[in-house]
């Protein structure tokens, strides 16, 4: 259903958003898996989106193949 790259991005997002739960943050294994599919700029975009408040993040769209961020006005 998901490509390897999409699964890596989903796992990175899951671990990155559970830091407040004292889950330990993103493991080296998950980061390395994501880094196989995305360059540093794309990884930075993914991590940055995790830091945005919900209403703002909801206004952003991401194409999973390139992780291009587009800001839309509402």
């Amino acid at each position: 259903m998901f490509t390897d790259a999409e699964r890596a991005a989903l796992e990175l997002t899951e671990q990155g958003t559970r830091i407040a739960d004292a889950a330990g943050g993103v493991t080296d294994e998950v980061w390395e898996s994501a880094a196989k599919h995305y360059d540093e700029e794309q990884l930075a975009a993914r991590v940055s989106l995790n830091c945005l408040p919900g209403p703002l993040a909801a206004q952003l769209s991401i194409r999973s193949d390139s992780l291009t961020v587009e800001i839309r006005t509402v």
Side-chain angles (χ1 to χ4, degrees):
M1 176 168 254
F2 293 106
T3 66
D4 289 344
E6 290 168 331
R7 280 194 287 278
L10 288 169
E11 185 62 26
L12 178 64
T13 300
E14 173 68 18
Q15 287 193 7
T17 56
R18 301 221 37 239
I19 292 173
D21 297 342
V26 178
T27 63
D28 290 340
E29 179 182 322
V30 167
W31 185 265
E32 289 167 8
S33 175
K36 289 178 185 176
H37 303 284
Y38 303 104
D39 62 28
E40 287 185 22
E41 186 175 311
Q42 292 169 319
L43 289 170
R46 167 72 53 197
V47 171
S48 296
L49 286 174
N50 289 344
C51 299
L52 295 174
L56 180 58
Q59 295 178 36
L60 299 175
S61 66
I62 304 172
R63 288 183 34 216
S64 63
D65 59 336
S66 65
L67 287 181
T68 301
V69 177
E70 174 187 331
I71 300 177
R72 297 175 296 182
T73 57
V74 285

